[in-house]
């Protein structure tokens, strides 16, 4: 189950997002301030962060309350009504500017320290502020009002990227070129774990019993063909992507062995034949 963190100071927005995302089988946690959001990401992380464009830092809203706005204008109560109102508008604009700045800082921090994709829920008319947030590191945006389907599609796209990056990281024992190619194969989670385990032991023969126990998490029985089917599927997907099935070789009576270099050599020889 994918885990999503929602950040918004709008209670109704948090409730609606929680309802929609929970219905779609996502795990959801909501926050309304910077400190709690960053502390939670530091402790638990997340697959996607949804940032409501109405979000503001609680410390800022404490400073710019209706009772304190006038304190930013000297003797505001002594000014003519139309001038006093003008000064208050300036204070509200200043407030919005600081809130936007704090939000950009939050986005930048999430990108720098957690590398978690960010989906912005944006007001369509606030394009300048939106562009600043995208420059700060947000990945996608969705203009309000938006449909439930549009929200879920954007999340699915971001989660596919997360899954791909995780898959790439599992092949760090291979060369960069090979890792780049194999990370794009449509492998299942079990298949990824098998290739990862085999590639960590490049050139070594790994018994079926070991693979069955370490990856599939069960003992190998006499008529169990589950492991063989997984290996066959991996090889088929390799061939479909232009890779050689010889990356994973069968050593009869012993098990399987992964070999990146041998497979590359075999492919080169085949090109000259």
């Amino acid at each position: 189950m994918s885990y999503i963190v929602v950040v918004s100071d709008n209670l109704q927005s948090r409730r609606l997002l929680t309802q929609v995302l929970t219905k779609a089988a996502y795990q959801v946690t909501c926050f309304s301030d910077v400190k709690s959001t960053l502390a939670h990401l530091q402790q638990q992380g997340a697959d996607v962060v949804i940032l409501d464009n109405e979000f503001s830092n609680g410390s800022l809203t404490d400073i710019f309350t209706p009772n304190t706005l006038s304190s930013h204008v000297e003797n505001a109560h002594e000014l003519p009504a139309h001038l006093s109102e003008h000064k208050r508008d300036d204070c509200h604009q200043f407030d919005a500017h600081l809130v936007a700045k704090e939000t950009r800082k939050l986005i930048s921090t999430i990108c720098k320290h957690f590398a978690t994709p960010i989906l912005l829920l944006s007001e369509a008319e606030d394009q300048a502020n939106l562009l600043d947030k995208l420059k700060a590191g947000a990945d996608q945006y969705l203009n309000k009002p938006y449909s439930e389907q549009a929200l879920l599609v954007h999340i699915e796209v971001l989660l596919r990227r997360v899954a791909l990056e995780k898959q790439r990281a599992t092949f760090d024992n291979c060369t960069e070129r090979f890792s780049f190619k194999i990370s794009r194969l449509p492998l299942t989670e079990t298949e990824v774990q098998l290739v990862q385990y085999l590639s960590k032991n490049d050139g070594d023969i790994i018994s079926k019993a070991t693979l069955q126990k370490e990856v599939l998490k069960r003992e190998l029985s006499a008529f169990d063909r589950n492991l063989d089917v997984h290996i066959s599927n991996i090889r088929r997907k390799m061939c479909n992507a232009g890779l050689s099935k010889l990356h994973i070789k069968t050593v009869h009576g012993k098990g399987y062995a992964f070999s990146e270099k041998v497979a590359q050599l075999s492919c080169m020889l085949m090109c000259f034949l």
Side-chain angles (χ1 to χ4, degrees):
M1 180 183 294
S2 297
Y3 181 52
I4 299 176
V5 166
V6 173
V7 189
S8 174
D9 64 358
N10 185 298
L11 179 59
Q12 183 178 8
S13 176
R14 295 198 301 270
R15 287 176 174 173
L16 289 174
L17 286 168
T18 299
Q19 181 180 358
V20 170
L21 296 173
T22 303
K23 180 181 176 183
Y26 293 118
Q27 183 181 353
V28 185
T29 301
C30 296
F31 296 97
S32 60
D33 65 280
V34 171
K35 185 177 181 180
S36 297
T37 301
L38 294 179
H40 184 79
L41 291 175
Q42 178 70 38
Q43 184 177 26
Q44 184 168 337
D47 295 308
V48 173
V49 171
I50 297 179
L51 185 60
D52 195 313
N53 208 33
E54 296 175 355
F55 168 76
S56 62
N57 187 353
S59 61
L60 291 177
T61 55
D62 288 341
I63 295 174
F64 293 99
T65 60
N67 293 330
T68 59
L69 278 173
S70 59
S71 66
H72 295 276
V73 184
E74 287 189 25
N75 301 320
H77 62 283
E78 298 178 0
L79 296 172
H82 68 284
L83 291 179
S84 180
E85 186 65 29
H86 177 70
K87 291 295 184 180
R88 286 187 172 86
D89 287 342
D90 287 344
C91 288
H92 281 294
Q93 291 176 5
F94 185 53
D95 179 10
H97 173 73
L98 287 181
V99 168
K101 182 178 180 181
E102 191 71 19
T103 305
R104 290 194 299 272
K105 183 178 179 181
L106 173 62
I107 292 172
S108 178
T109 301
I110 292 174
C111 292
K112 180 179 180 181
H113 295 284
F114 308 107
T116 304
I118 300 172
L119 172 62
L120 294 176
L121 304 181
S122 170
E123 299 293 348
E125 65 272 12
D126 195 10
Q127 288 298 306
N129 191 15
L130 171 62
L131 292 176
D132 285 341
K133 290 180 174 65
L134 291 174
K135 290 179 181 178
D139 296 83
Q140 293 187 18
Y141 70 92
L142 187 59
N143 282 333
K144 302 176 184 179
Y146 52 84
S147 67
E148 180 177 324
Q149 182 181 9
L151 174 66
L152 296 178
V153 168
H154 275 74
I155 293 173
E156 288 174 8
V157 170
L158 290 174
L159 287 174
R160 281 203 300 268
R161 196 196 83 187
V162 171
L164 179 59
E165 291 177 351
K166 287 181 179 179
Q167 185 169 325
R168 289 175 184 169
T170 62
F171 306 115
D172 54 4
N173 296 283
C174 305
T175 62
E176 183 177 352
R177 183 178 180 182
F178 180 80
S179 180
F180 179 84
K181 290 181 179 180
I182 200 169
S183 66
R184 281 157 174 75
L185 298 181
L187 301 176
T188 66
E189 184 176 347
T190 299
E191 291 166 358
V192 168
Q193 292 173 1
L194 281 169
V195 177
Q196 178 186 18
Y197 193 91
L198 288 167
S199 64
K200 283 183 177 179
N201 299 276
D202 193 331
D204 296 336
I205 300 173
I206 309 299
S207 69
K208 290 185 178 182
T210 299
L211 286 172
Q212 185 87 3
K213 183 178 180 179
E214 296 297 327
V215 180
L216 303 187
K217 306 302 181 183
R218 65 189 188 193
E219 298 296 332
L220 181 66
S221 61
F223 302 101
D224 193 339
R225 299 282 298 171
N226 194 29
L227 177 62
D228 297 327
V229 171
H230 282 304
I231 296 295
S232 178
N233 288 337
I234 294 171
R235 286 170 171 165
R236 174 177 51 80
K237 293 173 182 179
M238 284 182 170
C239 291
N240 290 341
L243 295 170
S244 172
K245 65 179 182 180
L246 297 177
H247 283 294
I248 300 177
K249 295 182 290 187
T250 301
V251 183
H252 294 288
K254 295 186 178 181
Y256 295 103
F258 175 89
S259 180
E260 180 181 347
K261 294 181 179 179
V262 171
Q264 291 174 344
L265 180 59
S266 300
C267 290
M268 291 174 63
L269 291 174
M270 290 176 65
C271 293
F272 287 100
L273 295 178

